[in-house]
Amino acid sequence: MQQALKIAAGPLVEGDTIVILDAKNMFLRPFGPSDYWDGARARTNFLPVGAVKPEHLSRALRCFDRTGALGAPQEITQYVTPFAVERAVWATLHERILARLGPVEAVFAVNRPPTEFMLLNAYAHAELCGVRKLFSPGLIRFNNLHMSTPA
């Protein structure tokens, strides 16, 4: 349900940009707004669609493009935290999910739901013709460490 909470926070957050973190993120050096924001758009790293398992993206695309008429996107954003996004974009994603699918928590209550970041990519593809309309390239990749525990 952490994905639902992240998306539901969009309309509630103050400020122009959100940097979404997980508890596993540990920063290795100081950082500032320019690490995540170029002055106009949030920064990300763009990936070819082949960088993600097809089912991860296809589950999200079905939420916004039920007919498949749009075809597959050519690229997506990174899908790990820290993840920067404009607050207005995240709030609009929340609105679109409510309008198309119902309460956000219901989207994530199903078996194998799409991730919050794949939903954002699907929304950008379906309604805005791609993620480059929302993001700028250049997120610095190695300013944090992802902590995980062995299985």
Side-chain angles (χ1 to χ4, degrees):
M1 280 302 185
Q2 70 174 349
Q3 297 94 340
L5 291 173
K6 290 175 194 173
I7 292 174
L12 306 174
V13 174
E14 294 181 15
D16 295 329
T17 305
I18 300 170
V19 177
I20 299 168
L21 302 171
D22 284 323
K24 65 183 177 238
N25 295 117
M26 295 178 55
F27 287 90
L28 301 174
R29 64 172 182 80
F31 62 92
S34 64
D35 289 315
Y36 296 98
W37 179 256
D38 74 356
R41 293 178 289 175
R43 294 184 191 273
T44 193
N45 292 306
F46 296 105
L47 305 170
V49 170
V52 65
K53 291 182 180 177
E55 63 270 15
H56 292 292
L57 184 56
S58 64
R59 283 194 295 267
L61 286 169
R62 283 192 300 271
C63 294
F64 290 97
D65 177 25
R66 295 182 193 274
T67 66
L70 294 172
Q74 298 302 304
E75 63 184 352
I76 60 172
T77 65
Q78 70 174 39
Y79 47 92
V80 296
T81 56
F83 187 93
V85 63
E86 291 176 53
R87 188 206 58 81
V89 169
W90 205 243
T92 301
L93 174 64
H94 180 256
E95 283 177 21
R96 296 300 191 273
I97 290 171
L98 282 173
R100 293 184 71 92
L101 306 168
V104 176
E105 59 273 18
V107 173
F108 296 101
V110 300
N111 186 25
R112 300 184 53 97
T115 69
E116 66 275 35
F117 304 123
M118 287 300 119
L119 283 169
L120 178 63
N121 278 278
Y123 156 70
H125 177 63
E127 297 193 19
L128 304 170
C129 299
V131 292
R132 289 202 181 250
K133 301 233 183 221
L134 299 178
F135 296 94
S136 293
L139 182 66
I140 298 170
R141 291 179 175 222
F142 301 110
N143 67 344
N144 76 93
L145 176 66
H146 295 275
M147 300 297 293
S148 60
T149 55

